[in-house]
Amino acid sequence: MQSPSPLQNPAIALARETAILDRFDSLGRAAQAIRDFGCDTAIVTESGKVVGWIDEKCLLKAQMEGDVGTSSIESYFDREFHSIQANETGASALRQFEFSGARCLVVLDSFGAAVGILYPSDLLSRPLAEARPQMVGGMATPFGVYLTNGKIRAGAKDFPLLATGALLFSMFICAMFASDAIATLWVQSFGNSDLVATIQQDAFPTFLFLLAMRLLPLAGIHAAEHKVVHAIERGEPLIPEIVERMPRVHPRCGTNLAAAAGLFLGLMNSTWIADSELRLLVAALATLMFWRPLGSLLQFWVTTRPPNANQLEMGISAGKELLQKYQVDRERTASPFVRIYCSGMIHVMAGSMLMYGLLELIAWAFQINILI
């Protein structure tokens, strides 16, 4: 969003507040005033009337000539200055900058008293201040990016969230079937073994599931979601060239939780440590130490991939919708149920259950064993 052109505004609305000194003030007071106001120029007055200005260059000259903070600014402030009336427009200020070559203009009220200072950069249009939620959550769906701050929802609607659950469940079932088929071919070709059974039950279905996740467009949409969330939380504008530079990995991604659960259960179900209590301790410590690094690796190499322009636009569109809604609804209070509902997890689980029910119905109708 852009503010109205500053050239149409009065100089008083554009002016920066700055320090106003007396011509007999000390160099130390001038230096402190410039630091306090964060403006490199202070206005110098005598009996309320502007007589000049002093800036960092003037203070540097005083230091190089050996004057200390107790010396007066009298010998160092610049007596040549340009001014503009408070009610004159930014366009008038622009003309003065053009013809005078001034680096700044002192803004004067109707009585000739200084009320601020104006720089050329103050005449440029700049983004309006935009309120942003401190934390944003989201989800990739087959039909676009879903975003929420725990109360406001934006982007993908209910059906895409349901479709996400159905898709993930279908991917899992397909991975199980593919794993069984590959194991059967292996046994037929090389004979049965305990290793084949272990791979079939544990590692290979997971590998196939993750491979499908990486290959499907969902990974690109997931990356777009992360990039937009990063941009919102960092206060960056939602434009493609900036959002595209954001990281694909996000510390609050659900992939991290999945990595933690997989690491813990994998170690707990292993048999390389006979003592179950020691195995529990090792699993807990390993999960605490490595769940985030493992989750970040999974995000980078598996669950996200660089988004294309269309996927990035999906994320930006959802982000803009969220911010637009947030401008008029900044109330942060939301019940736990609202937060859970807005997370989208209820929809995803419902979509998974619907797909499970559909497959059960197909299995019953055709008298086949689909689900394992």
Side-chain angles (χ1 to χ4, degrees), residues 138-147 156 160 164 167 213-214 216-229 248 303-308 310-316 318:
M139 190 177 299
T141 81
F143 302 100
V145 171
Y146 171 76
L147 295 176
T164 303
L167 175 63
M213 176 71 74
R214 174 71 178 187
L216 287 174
L218 196 66
I221 299 173
H222 192 190
E225 177 238 318
H226 282 189
K227 288 174 177 286
V228 169
V229 169
R248 281 193 282 131
T303 62
T304 72
R305 68 179 182 188
N308 59 38
N310 184 51
Q311 292 164 344
L312 200 65
E313 183 55 39
M314 289 178 180
I316 291 173

Side-chain angles (χ1 to χ4, degrees), residues 3 6 11 25 51 58 86 106 119 131-132 142 153 177 180 190 223 256 308 310 313 350 353 362:
S3 60
D25 283 340
V51 292
C58 299
V106 178
Y119 288 87
R132 295 195 172 200
R153 305 171 66 205
F177 275 120
D180 279 347
F190 304 102
N256 290 355
N308 59 38
N310 184 51
E313 183 55 39
M353 294 304 297
I362 293 173

Side-chain angles (χ1 to χ4, degrees), residues 20-31:
I20 298 178
L21 305 172
D22 186 86
R23 66 181 299 171
F24 299 112
D25 283 340
S26 66
L27 290 168
R29 183 173 187 278

